[in-house]
Every structure is written in structure tokens, then in C-alpha cells.
């Protein structure tokens, strides 16, 4: 009898405790969201484009789980699958003290520029990204070693950010962060993006020094107009010996009138190359008038984009480009001053809720290679 | 090369500004695809949905809202609060309550009405 009573008490208390636990779990707000894009990239002006680009069909998938722990703490975990395989794009906590003070801790995309806010394929109308933020879908991606700052730029660290509202129409956003930073090999000439995301090197900083950056934006918003101006910067070192520095800066502008967007961004990155023991045999161009080899190169990128919705269509016209100035390796097909201009016309047609068919044509105007035409046909949507 | 870039930039800017000026003269789809046009809606809801359409499309298109897997007013509150914490969202505390008002109202509509809102607008 006593054993039966004790058992009943234990079961009852477990049930009560279990109920309380279940209730507390229910109080947590969870949300699952994601997006998928399947894109086919064709290069009709090139018989075998695979030598110059990652053409053909690619899938970009992202899945995000967000959880809120009350009003001041939330967490986000996001995984992405694309050409680079499975990657964790987000794994962070937001600790919010006020609108003006939020701490973001973990793995995230540090605040830089405007495009990274909408880097998800379901959030922009073209199948690919503007050249300053391209992550491998541009032609001649290996020759250019991608863009200025491939998006999304994911890294581990801490970010302090916030927003102050001046009335209902004006806001100022800021962010300052310290992250692991980009990586490159010892004696390298540029970033090595594969090192930034390969588990073989572990997901840790390669040189024991954080990269720091900041972002500031001023926005005017009304029912019919949004106007934003912003500036971003990031600096640090990227080689294991902490000897090669880089600094990247950018300015952004956005104007929205009714549903139409006009966007423009400019990015520039000054990167220090390793000269090696014998720069004369390593580089194509000789020393300057002072007899010294210039160890820096400057990579610039820009885009302007007009997006206009008309019924179920969203039309996009984009003009973007890259420019690289500085010495190059002996075997490089670039010169000391190389440029690429790209002209894009495209549109997205809403098939049904959330699902869009994307079609775009691009003309690549290279300074060092034959011009090429690219056609993208894709389907994308959130879920 | 620099001169060529500057000439291109000037032409592009002028064209875009002219186009946007013309575009601004047209009536805009201020409610996005949030409310179906086949029935009347309270004025405060229409105003709240206008705020929703403007603020939510700052970082992503309205599709994200339309397919959100949210079922209760509490979830909408938490969802909008999380969006409000995003840098550059531009959602004030007042905006957040109005956005929740719109989205809760929209959730109360039947599925056919919501579909009409998406396709019909």
C-alpha cells in the first residue's frame, strides 16, 4: 500500500513537473523558415564555359530556425547548401538591451553594406548577386578570385548593433564587430575563400588576431519614400603570421519610391600581397621607380540596380563592375589594371504565392578576355 | 578607363532618376498583396497593412510574410518583434503593433480570401 502510494506520488509529481516543463517549452516562440532556388546558368558564347565559370544547374537551399526566449533574447540557426556544400550561415544569440543596444554573439554575417541584408535568393530578383558581392557565379571567377567581399560573409565573433529612431521617419543604424576575419595561406597574394569555410582548418581564427569593422546608416522612411545612405569598413590581417593586412570600405545608397527600388553600392579593398623571397620571378611587373615592389593591390566593385514591380512581374536592370589595380603573378591572365563591366536585364514572374520564375540576360565586357553573354533561368521561393 | 566608367555612371544615374520620377507619378500598390480586394476592410486595418507593406519589404519581399508558418497572435507578436530587432528594419515599437494588427487580421481571413489577395492584386 505504502509502495503504491509512493509510486503514485512520484508519478503525480513527474506528471506535474512534466506539465510545467511542457508549458515552459510552449512559451518559447519558434519559427522555421527557408528558401530554395534552382538556377540554370548558360553561356551561349562559350562552347565549354566550365573552364571559366560554375555554369549549369545549381541549387541554393537555406533553412532557418529562430527561437525567442522572451523579449530580450533570441537565437537563430541557419544552414545553407549551395556550390560550397553544407554550411552553417547563422548560429547566434541576440541579447537585446534596447533598440539602441543589441549584442550578437556567435556565427553570423557582420554588418557590411546593403546587399547582404537580402543575399538570400528568395529576397532578390536576379538569380545571381551583384559583382562586388559575387560568390562564385560570375564568369572568370578564378582569374578574379571572386569579388571584393563575397556575400554572405559568415564569420565567428561578437557584434554590437542598434537603431535609434528620430520620430517615425528617421532612423540611424550602427554596428561594430570583431570577428575571425578572412584567411589566406602563408606567403599568399589574396584571400583564400576555401580556407574560410573548410573544416580541415577548423572554424577558428587562423592568426590569433580579430578583424574589426563597423557600419553606419542613416534612413528616412515614409509611406511613399525610403532613402538610405550608409558606410561600412573592415580591417585586419589574413595570413597565419599576421603580417599581411587588408582594409575594405564601402558606401551604399538606396531609394524606394512606391514599390520601385534604386540601389547603388561601391566597395574597395586594399590587400597586401606577400612579395616572397624573389619578387622579380614571382610577379609579372617589375619594381617601381624607387626600386621597390609595391606589395598592395586595390580591388574595387560597384553596382547600380533598378527594380520595378509591374503586376506579377518584377523587372530588374543592373549595371555592375569590378576593377583590379596592382601587380599580378607571372601566370595570371589579368594585367596591372583590369576591369569588368556587366549589363543585366531580367525579371521575376510570380507563379503563385512565394514562388517566382527568374529570367535574366547578362553581357560581360572584359578588358582582358573576350566578351561573353550569360542567360540565367531559375525558380525560387521561400517556405 | 576611369573616364569611361564615369560616363557610364552618369548615364545610368540620369536614366534611373528619370524613370523613378515617372514611376512615382503612378499609383502604387501600397497594400502589396496582403488584403483581398473582393471585400471591404476596416480603415485602421488598411492603414496597418500599408505600414506592413512598406516596412516588411525594406529587406525582403512580401512573399516572406505570406508564407510564414505562423498560426497565433502571440506568434505574430514574437515574429514581428524579432524582425524589429534586425538592423535596418526600420520598425518602431508603434509600427510593430500595427504590423501585428494587420497580420493577425489577415490570418483570420479564410484561405480563399488570402489566396485572392495574392493573385488578385
Amino acid at each position: 500500500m505504502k509502495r503504491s502510494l509512493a509510486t503514485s506520488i512520484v508519478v503525480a509529481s513527474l506528471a506535474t513537473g512534466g506539465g510545467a516543463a511542457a508549458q515552459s517549452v510552449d512559451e518559447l516562440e519558434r519559427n522555421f523558415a527557408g528558401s530554395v532556388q534552382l538556377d540554370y546558368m548558360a553561356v551561349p558564347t562559350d562552347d565549354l564555359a566550365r573552364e571559366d565559370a560554375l555554369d549549369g544547374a545549381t541549387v541554393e537551399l537555406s533553412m532557418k530556425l529562430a527561437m525567442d526566449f522572451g523579449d530580450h533574447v533570441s537565437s537563430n540557426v541557419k544552414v545553407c547548401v549551395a556550390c560550397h556544400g553544407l554550411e552553417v550561415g547563422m548560429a547566434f544569440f541576440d541579447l537585446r538591451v534596447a533598440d539602441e543596444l543589441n549584442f550578437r554573439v556567435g556565427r553570423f554575417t557582420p554588418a557590411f553594406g546593403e546587399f547582404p541584408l537580402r543575399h538570400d535568393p528568395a529576397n532578390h530578383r536576379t538569380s545571381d548577386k551583384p559583382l562586388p558581392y559575387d560568390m562564385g557565379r560570375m564568369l572568370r571567377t578564378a582569374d578574379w578570385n571572386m569579388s571584393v567581399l563575397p556575400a554572405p560573409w559568415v564569420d565567428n565573433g561578437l557584434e554590437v548593433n542598434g537603431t535609434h529612431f528620430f520620430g517615425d521617419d528617421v532612423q540611424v543604424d550602427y554596428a561594430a564587430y570583431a570577428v575571425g576575419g578572412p584567411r589566406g595561406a602563408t606567403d599568399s597574394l589574396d584571400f583564400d575563400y576555401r580556407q574560410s569555410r573548410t573544416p580541415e582548418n577548423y572554424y577558428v581564427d587562423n592568426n590569433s588576431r580579430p578583424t574589426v569593422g563597423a557600419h553606419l546608416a542613416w534612413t528616412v522612411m515614409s509611406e511613399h519614400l525610403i532613402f538610405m545612405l550608409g558606410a561600412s569598413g573592415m580591417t585586419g590581417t589574413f595570413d597565419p603570421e599576421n603580417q599581411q593586412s587588408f582594409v575594405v570600405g564601402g558606401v551604399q545608397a538606396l531609394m524606394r519610391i512606391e514599390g520601385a527600388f534604386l540601389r547603388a553600392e561601391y566597395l574597395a579593398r586594399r590587400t597586401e600581397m606577400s612579395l616572397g623571397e624573389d619578387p622579380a620571378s614571382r610577379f609579372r611587373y617589375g619594381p617601381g621607380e624607387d626600386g621597390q615592389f609595391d606589395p598592395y593591390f586595390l580591388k574595387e566593385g560597384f553596382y547600380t540596380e533598378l527594380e520595378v514591380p509591374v503586376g506579377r512581374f518584377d523587372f530588374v536592370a543592373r549595371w555592375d563592375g569590378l576593377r583590379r589595380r596592382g601587380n599580378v603573378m607571372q601566370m595570371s591572365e589579368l594585367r596591372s589594371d583590369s576591369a569588368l563591366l556587366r549589363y543585366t536585364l531580367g525579371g521575376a514572374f510570380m507563379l503563385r504565392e512565394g514562388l517566382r520564375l527568374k529570367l535574366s540576360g547578362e553581357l560581360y565586357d572584359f578588358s582582358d578576355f573576350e566578351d561573353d553573354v550569360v542567360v540565367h533561368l531559375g525558380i525560387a521561393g521561400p517556405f | 578607363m576611369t573616364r569611361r566608367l564615369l560616363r557610364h555612371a552618369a548615364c545610368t544615374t540620369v536614366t534611373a532618376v528619370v524613370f523613378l520620377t515617372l514611376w512615382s507619378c503612378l499609383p502604387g500598390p501600397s497594400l502589396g498583396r496582403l488584403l483581398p480586394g473582393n471585400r471591404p476592410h476596416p480603415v485602421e486595418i488598411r492603414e496597418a497593412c500599408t505600414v506592413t507593406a512598406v516596412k516588411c519589404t525594406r529587406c525582403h519581399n512580401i512573399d516572406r510574410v505570406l508564407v510564414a508558418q505562423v498560426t497565433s497572435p502571440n506568434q505574430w507578436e514574437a515574429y514581428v518583434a524579432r524582425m524589429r530587432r534586425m538592423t535596418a528594419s526600420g520598425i518602431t515599437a508603434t509600427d510593430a503593433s500595427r504590423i501585428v494588427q494587420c497580420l493577425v487580421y489577415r490570418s483570420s481571413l479564410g484561405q480563399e480570401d488570402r489566396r485572392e489577395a495574392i493573385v488578385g492584386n
Side-chain angles (χ1 to χ4, degrees):
Chain A
M1 183 66 182
K2 280 183 181 176
R3 182 183 293 175
S4 173
L5 180 62
T7 304
S8 299
I9 291 171
V10 169
V11 170
S13 57
L14 280 176
T16 307
Q23 187 180 8
S24 63
V25 168
D26 286 344
E27 287 170 358
L28 301 176
E29 294 294 346
R30 281 157 290 181
N31 183 260
F32 176 76
S35 69
V36 179
Q37 173 175 283
L38 172 67
D39 176 59
Y40 191 87
M41 172 181 168
V43 188
T45 50
D46 195 338
D47 289 337
L48 193 58
R50 177 47 52 91
E51 295 174 354
D52 303 327
L54 301 176
D55 65 337
T58 54
V59 168
E60 293 180 55
L61 163 71
S62 70
M63 295 181 291
K64 186 172 89 169
L65 181 66
M67 182 173 286
D68 299 312
F69 305 89
D71 292 336
H72 297 282
V73 181
S74 63
S75 66
N76 285 268
V77 176
K78 180 179 181 180
V79 293
C80 308
V81 180
C83 305
H84 47 61
L86 182 70
E87 289 293 333
V88 177
M90 289 181 184
F92 64 80
F93 280 104
D94 267 332
L95 312 169
R96 180 178 167 274
V97 179
D99 283 350
E100 290 79 6
L101 186 60
N102 180 66
F103 295 92
R104 180 165 291 184
V105 185
R107 186 168 176 78
F108 56 87
T109 298
F112 193 106
E114 198 273 338
F115 178 78
L117 289 173
R118 52 191 181 87
H119 74 268
D120 190 293
N123 292 349
H124 57 262
R125 293 293 180 258
T126 51
S127 296
D128 57 1
K129 296 164 183 159
L131 282 174
Y133 292 107
D134 188 271
M135 193 188 254
R137 292 287 275 171
M138 61 179 280
L139 292 186
R140 304 283 180 179
T141 184
D143 295 298
W144 281 86
N145 194 25
M146 292 199 202
S147 55
V148 182
L149 195 69
W153 184 271
V154 179
D155 215 329
N156 304 337
L158 164 70
E159 179 177 281
V160 181
N161 59 46
T163 300
H164 182 74
F165 294 95
F166 296 90
D168 289 336
D169 297 333
V170 179
Q171 71 175 86
V172 171
D173 303 303
Y174 79 91
Y177 51 84
V179 295
R183 299 180 192 178
T186 302
D187 215 22
S188 62
L189 299 179
D190 198 356
F191 299 170
D192 181 349
Y193 297 106
R194 291 186 184 183
Q195 284 198 21
S196 298
R197 50 184 168 72
T198 174
E200 291 174 4
N201 292 342
Y202 307 109
Y203 288 93
V204 295
D205 195 353
N206 69 334
N207 56 18
S208 307
R209 299 285 190 286
T211 285
V212 295
H215 172 73
L216 186 67
W218 171 78
T219 308
V220 179
M221 300 180 88
S222 70
E223 185 179 328
H224 302 289
L225 174 73
I226 296 176
F227 181 73
M228 183 278 286
L229 281 176
S232 313
M234 185 162 63
T235 186
T237 53
F238 63 95
D239 66 309
E241 276 72 42
N242 196 39
Q243 297 296 314
Q244 295 172 244
S245 64
F246 76 95
V247 57
V248 54
V251 289
Q252 312 91 43
L254 175 148
M255 184 165 68
R256 172 183 162 160
I257 300 177
E258 296 296 351
F261 282 92
L262 176 63
R263 303 181 177 96
E265 291 198 57
Y266 168 81
L267 276 70
R269 171 160 58 87
R270 187 171 186 257
T271 310
E272 185 176 359
M273 301 179 284
S274 169
L275 296 178
E277 294 180 357
D278 181 14
S281 64
R282 184 173 209 193
F283 292 101
R284 180 186 303 169
Y285 301 100
E289 293 177 353
D290 59 355
Q292 302 292 314
F293 279 85
D294 183 0
Y296 294 98
F297 75 85
L298 180 69
K299 195 181 221 179
E300 301 163 276
F302 77 94
Y303 76 88
T304 57
E305 182 180 88
L306 181 65
E307 179 184 310
V308 178
V310 180
R312 298 173 77 164
F313 288 91
D314 288 324
F315 294 102
V316 178
R318 184 177 64 197
W319 178 51
D320 52 358
L322 287 176
R323 186 175 186 180
R324 184 192 184 282
R325 283 180 277 185
N327 217 334
V328 294
M329 291 193 76
Q330 289 281 6
M331 301 298 290
S332 174
E333 294 197 57
L334 300 184
R335 294 177 294 176
S336 60
D337 188 353
S338 294
L340 159 61
L341 293 175
R342 186 173 70 173
Y343 307 88
T344 303
L345 280 177
F349 175 71
M350 187 182 67
L351 298 169
R352 53 179 303 150
E353 59 180 292
L355 201 58
R356 290 176 188 273
L357 188 69
K358 296 180 176 180
L359 175 66
S360 61
E362 299 172 335
L363 173 63
Y364 281 74
D365 180 2
F366 288 103
S367 64
D368 303 321
F369 308 100
E370 291 291 317
D371 295 350
D372 272 311
V373 171
V374 170
V375 176
H376 284 276
L377 179 62
I379 190 164
F383 56 83
Chain B
M1 190 177 291
T2 304
R3 191 176 299 169
R4 182 181 171 205
L5 282 170
L6 289 174
R7 193 169 62 241
H8 274 292
C11 291
T12 304
T13 305
V14 170
T15 306
V17 169
V18 168
F19 192 91
L20 272 178
T21 306
L22 293 173
W23 177 258
S24 66
C25 299
L26 300 174
S30 57
L31 294 185
R33 301 191 306 278
L34 290 165
L35 295 175
N38 60 353
R39 54 187 283 186
H41 306 284
V43 174
E44 66 271 21
I45 293 296
R46 294 182 65 83
E47 290 174 355
C49 287
T50 299
V51 173
T52 306
V54 170
K55 299 286 182 172
C56 295
T57 54
R58 167 68 182 82
C59 301
H60 55 74
N61 55 59
I62 205 70
D63 298 354
R64 284 279 181 190
V65 181
L66 304 181
V67 300
Q69 298 174 39
V70 178
T71 54
S72 72
N74 286 344
Q75 280 185 309
W76 274 125
E77 279 185 24
Y79 191 96
V80 174
R82 193 183 321 117
M83 293 298 118
R84 196 169 96 76
R85 289 196 287 270
M86 298 289 181
T87 309
S89 74
I91 301 174
T92 64
T94 310
D95 292 335
S97 60
R98 299 182 81 186
I99 292 171
V100 169
Q101 186 184 18
C102 166
L103 297 177
V104 169
Y105 176 86
R106 187 175 187 280
S107 296
S108 70
L109 300 175
Q111 193 168 356
E112 283 305 310
D113 278 339
R114 292 204 297 270
R115 185 160 294 152
E116 159 67 21
I118 295 167
V119 178
N121 281 283

